[in-house]
Amino acid sequence: MDEVEFLRGRVYGADHDDAGPRPDRVYAHLVGGPLDGLLLDITDRSDHELREVALTTEIGRYGPGGRALYGRRGTADRRFDWRGDAPGTP
């Protein structure tokens, strides 16, 4: 199993030992970029917060501390498309 296959269906930011989705939560799918295939927990987030998200990752263009930028595909869609990478905050 390669790294990409290992990450599919896992929740971004979840504990490695328990990274699967939970039935009481709402998730969006991250599409493209370094976090492709991961799920993002969007439970209790407002529509405004979900227009674009910047997620910290070590596997993007900027390495440790960098961020992967994802934007919601449509207002009612649960898919977020990769928009690019950004350096971390200084």
Side-chain angles (χ1 to χ4, degrees), residues 3-78:
E3 182 178 347
V4 172
E5 186 178 342
F6 175 73
L7 291 175
R8 289 205 184 284
R10 297 175 64 84
V11 177
Y12 170 83
D15 182 32
H16 289 276
D17 294 331
D18 187 25
R22 297 184 353 213
D24 60 328
R25 310 297 290 178
V26 178
Y27 299 96
H29 294 269
L30 299 176
V31 180
L35 304 177
D36 183 47
L38 289 180
L39 301 174
L40 177 65
D41 187 344
I42 60 171
T43 308
D44 301 327
R45 291 193 186 195
S46 72
D47 283 339
H48 184 273
E49 290 177 295
L50 295 175
R51 291 176 58 193
E52 185 171 274
V53 294
L55 305 171
T56 303
T57 181
E58 297 179 1
I59 58 176
R61 177 179 179 188
Y62 295 96
R67 297 174 294 149
L69 308 175
Y70 286 84
R72 194 172 203 168
R73 189 173 287 184
T75 55
D77 204 322
R78 286 199 199 163

